[in-house]
Amino acid sequence: MSETENSKGKVVIMSGPSGVGKSTICKEVVKRFDNLYLSISVTTRPKSKAEVDGQDYWFISEQEFQERIDKNLLLEHAEVFGHLYGTPRDKVEEAIEAGKNIILEIDVQGAKQTLPIFPDAVMIFVLPPTEKDLVKRMDNRGREAADAAEKRLSGASGEIAAAWQYYKHMIINEDLQQAVDECVQIIEDSGGES
Ligand code: 5GP
C-alpha cells in the first residue's frame, strides 16, 4: 500500500463472524506487505491456552478496561458476546502518523466507531462459505463451552446483515490462500503495492 499525499498510513478494517478465520487471514496478509502491521486489541475475555498475551490480545481486567475508556485511550471499544474489546488509540495514531498501514481486526460496532475517524479506511468483511461451515469451524475450535459458541453463532447473522451496509469489500473464506490473495488485491487496489 502506498503512502497518501501527506505520507500518512492507512487503516484497514477487517471484520466477520466469529470463527470465520479472520485472524489467520490477517496474519497471512500482513506477511505479504512490508509496511502493514496488525493492531493488538485489549480484551477482558479470558485467554485461551493457545493465545499469547501481547501477541493475540492484551488480556486485561474489566477495571483496567474501564480506566482506558475513562482516559480516552481507546480508539473504539465494544462488548462482544459478553466481553469487552478495544483498540489502543496511541498505537494506531502513531503508526498512521509514521506512514505505516495498520489492520484493525474488529467487530461491526467497532468499525462503525472507527469509520468517522478514518473515513478512507479500507473495509473488508469476511464471510463463511455456508452457515454449516461456520458451525463446523466453531466446533473444531473447541475454545469455549457450547453455550458460548452458540451465542457467537447466533450473533453471526445480525453481523452479516449489518455488514452489507458498511463494508465495501466482502470476501468468502472458502480457501485460505484465495481469501488472502483477495485481501492483498483489495489493499493494493486501494492505493498500494505489496
Ligand atoms: P474473539 O474472542 O473470537 O477473539 O473475538 C470476538 C470478536 O471480537 C471478533 O468479532 C473480533 O473481531 C472482535 N474484536 C476483537 N478485537 C476487537 C476490538 O479491539 N474492538 C472491537 N470492536 N471488536 C474486536
Side-chain angles (χ1 to χ4, degrees):
M1 188 187 283
S2 68
E3 294 161 1
T4 52
E5 270 170 33
N6 49 8
S7 296
K8 285 194 177 170
K10 260 199 176 183
V11 170
V12 177
I13 295 177
M14 180 91 76
S15 305
S18 198
V20 78
K22 299 178 297 270
S23 306
T24 313
I25 294 174
C26 285
K27 283 178 184 146
E28 290 302 313
V29 168
V30 162
K31 288 185 199 162
R32 302 269 293 267
F33 291 87
D34 291 334
N35 193 26
L36 183 62
Y37 301 85
L38 259 180
S39 160
I40 300 174
S41 299
V42 291
T43 183
T44 62
R45 171 169 73 64
K47 185 174 88 60
S48 75
K49 274 192 189 148
E51 289 174 313
V52 178
D53 192 30
Q55 201 169 300
D56 297 287
Y57 286 103
W58 296 103
F59 295 92
I60 63 174
S61 68
E62 289 202 7
Q63 191 189 332
E64 287 170 311
F65 197 100
Q66 190 56 50
E67 279 167 16
R68 281 168 169 75
I69 296 175
D70 295 343
K71 291 180 182 160
N72 199 25
L73 297 178
L74 301 179
L75 182 72
E76 60 75 34
H77 61 90
E79 186 179 325
V80 189
F81 310 123
H83 300 294
L84 300 167
Y85 297 80
T87 303
R89 180 191 298 282
D90 56 348
K91 292 280 179 290
V92 176
E93 289 180 350
E94 279 165 29
I96 297 304
E97 284 303 316
K100 295 176 181 170
N101 304 305
I102 192 153
I103 299 192
L104 312 187
E105 191 205 316
I106 59 178
D107 84 324
V108 174
Q109 305 172 74
K112 286 185 200 171
Q113 295 168 42
T114 307
L115 206 48
I117 307 168
F118 296 105
D120 64 347
V122 181
M123 306 279 289
I124 304 174
F125 195 88
V126 185
L127 290 163
T130 63
E131 192 188 352
K132 223 163 128 192
D133 187 85
L134 197 60
V135 174
K136 205 166 77 195
R137 287 181 204 208
M138 293 296 306
D139 285 348
N140 289 341
R141 197 153 79 157
R143 197 175 64 197
E144 58 214 331
D147 58 338
E150 203 169 308
K151 217 196 265 182
R152 284 171 183 260
L153 274 174
S154 64
S157 54
E159 203 168 41
I160 292 170
W164 294 106
Q165 209 180 325
Y166 291 96
Y167 293 75
K168 182 169 174 199
H169 307 283
M170 308 284 275
I171 64 161
I172 297 171
N173 185 18
E174 184 152 25
D175 171 77
L176 174 65
Q177 203 47 55
Q178 197 180 328
V180 170
D181 288 346
E182 280 179 41
C183 279
V184 168
Q185 191 65 53
I186 290 165
I187 295 169
E188 284 176 356
D189 288 351
S190 39
E193 60 228 54
S194 53

